[in-house]
Amino acid sequence: MAAAIPKKIMETTNKAMGISPEDAKITKSYIFVAFMALLIGGFLGLIQGLNRAGLLELPSWLNYYQVLTAHGLLLILVLTAFFTIGYFYASLSHTLGGLLPKVRRIAWVGFWLKMVGFVLAVIPILMNEASVMYTFYPPMAAHPVFYLGLVFIVLGVWACCIGSFIQVANWRKNNKGQHVPILAYFATGVFVLLFFALIPVAIEVLVMILPWTLGWVETINVMVARTLFWAFGHTLVNIWYLTAVSAWYVVVPKIIGGRRWSDLLTRVVIIALVVMNITGGFHHQIIDPGINELVKFMHVFMSLAIGFPSLMTAFALFAVFERTARRKGGKGLIGWWRKMPWGDVRFLAPFIAMVAFIPAGAGGIAQSTNQLDQVVHNTMWIVGHFHLTLGMTVVMTFFGISYWLVPYISKRVLTPQINKLGVIQTWIWTVGMIFMAGAMHWVGLLGSPRRTSYTTYGDHATALGWDPYLMCLAVGGTLLIIGVILQVYAVINMMFFAPKGETEFPIAEEEDNATKTPYWTERWGIWVVVMLIVVAMAYVIPLTEFIVNAPPGSPPYKTW
Amino acid sequence: MGAVKANQNKKGSKETEAPLKGTWVSVTVVGVVIVATYLVLYGLYMARI
């Protein structure tokens, strides 16, 4: 089998396809920054894990919360935002016939705004003036420059959203009555979500936190700030998820030699995720005071509603796998799984990512329920859940994408050696995440809190009982850093050193007998209005209550 | 002749149509994981209140 893989990979990837050098440069820059963030953020994660396990004492000039803030900022904001934008801009370029010159300019403006913002945010973190962790919850207050940096990042992402809207609108103008190609449709959904999700966090930072940290106002309404943050934060999680899902629906079927499942179902899943997403933010506050039971119940319902498109996705993807495998001679009830290309990293990495989403999604569904969340709230379980969703489901899909996207934009090819390295990296990452996220889940059930540096609470028996699990966490973290190094090496190799050649942008075709997708799926104006109505239903009453019945408010605190 | 052709078409379409039984098995596994997670957390919740 191993001998057949390289030939197969060469056959399925290295076909002549083009990308203009200008468009390639944009994606290349975004992807490069994303993987550098992975490298630095990964090392910070290791330091954090070793410290949390009691194996490493940090020097006096570095504290746990500082490391946590930088780790979060680099991996949650920089890695994901830069990868998502780079990937979708390549998708827009490929499927819509190249980026418009003004869209390219906007993409660069967005890139540099984000870079400036990132540098501004990092400086106070390095100075230990912004160890507020990645959720930057008031009343913890960082240096104002940290928030100014966040404003620049928001502006940069908004610029990219606007660029994508211009690109898609131009294509629609020139192709009246046509369906936007499916990857560009995914990009539209993602950028619509990004655009609207950034509004609440921009209000939080610009209108509330910045004047408060600058001393222009004395207090801040903590509940309003938290609510605005999670309207963005939860949506961001699902933006990553939607990005990963785009590769599952469109790219993976092509790589395994199959066809896409129903185009209509795919577009309905995108619409459903866009319309219902922002309201899910409240389930992050399900234990918070000041929200009445009726509103919490409505939010549980809205959060669980997001599960439906995910279950539709599970069915669609399993169906694609089974159909493709059976066409290749797969037999038996589950024996057809053997026909999957397990030696091809472009399939293996996203496939394991999908499998990881089963327990990750299950945990998410359970955590959305008030009573069940009380068992795990603010424990390490949540951190484990987060690593399962972002670290496995999303990031492993990003890794899988990188093995064809990076050669595609670099006009190079994926070599059998790098494919093999990718397979090894995928398994190391998988084992590392199982150890780390598994230990986090378990120790969370035993009561170990999140967002806390190592302590034995005066050698309390309960806290000492967490130690074996924290050791597993450290072992997992060590394996993961090996995975990070291998992955970054693979990306650098494919970007700068792999043999020259043309790599295909893999997009699966629909089934031959596919039914025609109705045009109402293209009515983005309607979906945005529906989304805004749902958002208003979810947020107007609670926010009004928080403002009208506002507590005295809080002055800024520096807790570290 | 027409009937033979129709039967041939029917047979052909039956052959290309995958049964998707494995898909339903896989989706059931997903459902079981969700329910099991729910039950474990619910059990812990009940044990702790």
Side-chain angles (χ1 to χ4, degrees):
Chain A
M1 188 180 167
I5 296 157
K7 185 168 173 273
K8 201 170 173 186
I9 289 165
M10 298 299 272
E11 280 170 359
T12 55
T13 60
N14 303 332
K15 291 178 186 168
M17 294 294 288
I19 180 168
S20 80
E22 295 96 332
D23 296 357
K25 203 173 167 188
I26 292 169
T27 297
K28 226 175 177 176
S29 305
Y30 273 92
I31 298 289
F32 182 80
V33 172
F35 281 97
M36 287 304 106
L38 173 72
L39 186 63
I40 304 166
F43 270 104
L44 291 169
L46 176 68
I47 292 170
Q48 208 181 320
L50 294 178
N51 178 256
R52 183 64 203 253
L55 297 171
L56 176 75
E57 201 169 322
L58 295 178
S60 58
W61 47 267
L62 192 65
N63 76 61
Y64 179 83
Y65 302 100
Q66 197 178 1
V67 176
L68 199 164
T69 306
H71 172 71
L73 187 80
L74 281 163
L75 299 187
I76 292 170
L77 282 183
V78 181
L79 166 66
T80 57
F82 278 77
F83 190 95
T84 299
I85 293 169
Y87 162 65
F88 275 127
Y89 264 70
S91 305
L92 290 171
S93 167
H94 178 73
T95 59
L96 304 183
L99 297 177
L100 297 168
K102 65 178 164 191
V103 173
R104 275 187 209 128
R105 282 196 295 276
I106 292 172
W108 281 117
V109 168
F111 178 85
W112 287 112
L113 278 171
K114 286 193 286 289
M115 289 300 283
V116 169
F118 172 59
V119 171
L120 284 176
V122 159
I123 292 168
I125 294 175
L126 292 175
M127 293 164 65
N128 197 23
E129 290 292 331
S131 301
V132 287
M133 298 179 277
Y134 68 92
T135 45
F136 49 90
Y137 283 152
M140 281 196 298
H143 193 281
V145 172
F146 173 78
Y147 301 108
L148 193 64
L150 295 180
V151 171
F152 273 89
I153 292 174
V154 168
L155 291 174
V157 177
W158 263 338
C160 294
C161 294
I162 290 165
S164 77
F165 298 152
I166 292 170
Q167 184 73 31
V168 173
N170 178 72
W171 188 91
R172 284 166 63 111
K173 196 175 143 194
N174 295 326
N175 296 273
K176 284 199 188 301
Q178 301 277 316
H179 285 281
V180 172
I182 190 68
L183 258 186
Y185 196 86
F186 267 106
T188 307
V190 162
F191 284 116
V192 164
L193 267 181
L194 263 173
F195 184 85
F196 285 99
L198 285 169
I199 294 173
V201 81
I203 294 171
E204 184 202 1
V205 173
L206 266 177
V207 179
M208 298 180 72
I209 298 181
L210 262 177
W212 175 63
T213 51
L214 287 165
W216 298 345
V217 293
E218 286 181 7
T219 60
I220 193 165
N221 186 325
V222 172
M223 281 302 289
V224 172
R226 283 170 69 87
T227 304
L228 292 174
F229 176 83
W230 278 118
F232 154 77
H234 174 75
T235 311
L236 185 64
V237 175
N238 281 284
I239 285 165
W240 309 328
Y241 170 63
L242 192 53
T243 307
V245 166
S246 74
W248 299 354
Y249 269 107
V250 183
V251 174
V252 172
K254 175 75 174 179
I255 284 165
I256 64 173
R259 298 287 185 98
R260 275 200 293 130
W261 188 253
S262 160
D263 185 73
L264 173 60
L265 180 138
T266 312
R267 288 175 201 256
V268 168
V269 163
I270 298 166
I271 293 167
L273 283 171
V274 169
V275 167
M276 298 191 290
N277 225 316
I278 298 178
T279 56
F282 254 116
H283 75 238
H284 292 258
Q285 296 172 260
I286 204 156
I287 306 291
D288 279 10
I291 308 169
N292 69 50
E293 280 182 14
L294 191 67
V295 170
K296 282 188 178 177
F297 185 78
M298 180 174 77
H299 283 284
V300 169
F301 176 77
M302 286 177 155
S303 297
L304 294 180
I306 303 170
F308 283 98
S310 296
L311 290 171
M312 287 158 75
T313 299
F315 178 86
L317 295 169
F318 284 130
V320 167
F321 295 153
E322 184 170 7
R323 270 193 180 173
T324 309
R326 290 198 187 283
R327 281 172 189 164
K328 290 180 173 181
K331 300 267 187 258
L333 189 61
I334 51 173
W336 51 269
W337 279 106
R338 284 197 291 270
K339 290 287 174 186
M340 292 289 104
W342 300 109
D344 187 339
V345 65
R346 300 164 310 151
F347 164 74
L348 183 69
F351 176 79
I352 294 176
M354 290 175 208
V355 173
F357 193 60
I358 300 171
I365 289 172
Q367 285 153 219
S368 299
T369 308
N370 189 313
Q371 289 85 347
L372 304 193
D373 188 54
Q374 289 177 41
V375 178
V376 295
H377 192 73
N378 270 342
T379 70
M380 286 295 281
W381 165 289
I382 302 294
V383 189
H385 167 71
F386 196 44
H387 281 83
L388 210 52
T389 45
L390 177 60
M392 279 194 94
T393 306
V394 173
V395 167
M396 285 185 83
T397 304
F398 287 2
F399 289 171
I401 291 171
S402 74
Y403 287 96
W404 56 263
L405 180 62
V406 175
Y408 168 77
I409 53 173
S410 308
K411 293 203 176 284
R412 295 177 189 274
V413 294
L414 171 64
T415 60
Q417 292 80 14
I418 291 295
N419 177 66
K420 199 172 175 184
L421 182 81
V423 171
I424 294 167
Q425 191 277 343
T426 301
W427 285 117
I428 290 174
W429 191 269
T430 303
V431 174
M433 270 298 173
I434 289 172
F435 262 91
M436 195 177 81
M440 286 169 165
H441 274 91
W442 199 263
V443 80
L445 290 178
L446 299 177
S448 179
R450 70 191 288 207
R451 294 182 173 130
T452 309
S453 61
Y454 181 73
T455 171
T456 59
Y457 295 94
D459 285 340
H460 191 280
T462 304
L464 291 175
W466 300 332
D467 281 353
Y469 302 97
L470 296 175
M471 206 60 75
C472 278
L473 186 158
V475 170
T478 308
L479 287 171
L480 287 169
I481 197 65
I482 298 170
V484 166
I485 294 166
L486 293 180
Q487 178 62 34
V488 172
Y489 170 78
V491 168
I492 297 293
N493 181 283
M494 291 184 289
M495 201 174 268
F496 301 109
F497 303 107
K500 290 272 184 189
E502 296 288 345
T503 293
E504 182 188 16
F505 195 118
I507 295 179
E509 297 293 326
E510 272 192 276
E511 294 284 352
D512 288 333
N513 57 355
T515 49
K516 196 175 180 312
T517 304
Y519 196 71
W520 53 258
T521 53
E522 296 295 324
R523 306 287 184 204
W524 273 105
I526 295 173
W527 308 129
V528 169
V529 169
V530 174
M531 180 190 78
L532 293 174
I533 291 170
V534 173
V535 170
M537 274 171 57
Y539 281 97
V540 169
I541 293 173
L543 279 174
T544 306
E545 280 185 2
F546 293 153
I547 294 166
V548 172
N549 304 314
S554 176
Y557 285 98
K558 190 176 173 184
T559 55
W560 61 95
Chain B
M1 188 69 185
V4 172
K5 200 175 173 186
N7 282 337
Q8 279 172 345
N9 283 344
K10 206 175 170 185
K11 197 182 167 193
S13 66
K14 212 174 182 179
E15 274 171 3
T16 54
E17 202 177 277
L20 297 184
K21 281 182 189 164
T23 299
W24 285 110
V25 171
S26 308
V27 170
T28 305
V29 171
V30 175
V32 168
V33 173
I34 294 169
V35 173
T37 311
Y38 228 88
L39 289 178
V40 167
L41 290 188
Y42 184 68
L44 284 168
Y45 172 71
M46 291 305 285
R48 289 174 187 184
I49 56 169

